[in-house]
Amino acid sequence: MLLIVLHHYALHGLCPMDKADPPAGWQVEILQFGGGVGVALFVLISSYFMVSSRFSGRKFMRLWVPVVTISMSLYLAFRFIPQEGITPHGGILAMCTQFLPILSGQYWFITTFTLLMLLSPALNMVMQRAGRMQIIGIIAVLAAFCCAPTVIPYVAYSSGEITLFILLYFLAGYMRLHGRSPQGHAGACLVAFLVILAATEAVVAATCGAESIFLKSLHKACAAKFGIPNLLMAVFLFRAFLGMNLGSSKWINSIAACTLGVYLIHDNAYMRPFLWRNIFHCRDMLAQGPAAIWWHCITTVLAVYIGCTILAFIWKQTVERAYITWVEPRLLPLLRRAGGYAAGGLDKFCKRYIDRD
């Protein structure tokens, strides 16, 4: 999650709030590498465990509840405690957006990850029935679709985030079902991660602002959020963690459990300008030079991560605990009953209008 916060520091802090493209400068380009690596690493870790588990309404609701409650809480906070340049819209439509942030696309990552969760039973069925070489073939096809736009000049199409997430799901599934044990290889994987990181950032810095087609293509390939270098770094870092004997730590588990909350809090549409512009004044650092940018980046990213972790921990000890204790035991039976009715209705529809006689 630190890598994702680092990416958002560059994307929303150093870049103008009304533009998607960063200003010219190799420092901004380099700082954004964490977004692709962090997202890919999160999906790999989650997929590694989803491959061998069953999808359930409980898991889905434990994803949905923090998204809705944190989104609504921040909306109400900024609605009743106005901040400079932040004006949450009122009305029914705005309220519905906060109640349904996944469906409204407010968090692109959560929206895509939710879809991946819903597809996981089908993806697991494919991996369980497919052989090793068939899974490798699927990975190769998905990788070609995902990575081609980042390496071929003038290719502008996008295969979409869900295609990338499915690729990462199959990569994690392959490592879980057919991969070698990472024990004893953690050091080598960590070295590979550092070598790719150093080489990629060196190329990004050297080719920033280049004019030739070749150098532009090279820069595009290395700077792409979900380009080949970032995906390789995520895989090697994931393998390195798998090979480490970290044991079990209550503090590490507590911090890891707050990861989703950190993302939901700091990347909220109202928190972005509040954090990066109103509190930390990140844009002012562009005129201070590289040393000031890097020092401000380190201190700001750590402050945001620690602060959001504390808020997420408080949320888990209050709202989530209340939900698990009082709401979940009453809600899940209703969801199971509704799911049964929906499945039965769909079965009758298919038998009457679609199935062969």
Side-chain angles (χ1 to χ4, degrees), residues 9 13-14 27-28 31 276 280-297 299-300:
Y9 171 87
L14 297 180
Q27 299 98 333
V28 179
L31 289 174
W276 308 122
F280 295 107
H281 306 284
C282 299
R283 285 280 293 169
D284 297 341
M285 292 298 105
L286 290 175
Q288 304 299 320
I293 290 177
W294 284 96
W295 174 248
H296 187 264
C297 170
T299 55
T300 301

Side-chain angles (χ1 to χ4, degrees), residues 37 42 80 102 115 122 161 177 194 219:
V37 177
F42 185 93
F80 294 105
I102 294 178
L115 181 56
E161 288 86 3
L177 300 175
L194 294 174
H219 180 84

Side-chain angles (χ1 to χ4, degrees), residues 48 174-186 188-189 238-244:
Y48 189 81
Y174 180 85
M175 286 186 276
R176 184 69 183 253
L177 300 175
H178 303 284
R180 294 182 179 180
S181 172
Q183 296 296 327
H185 301 287
C189 291
F238 176 59
R239 295 286 292 178
F241 283 125
L242 284 179
M244 295 178 184

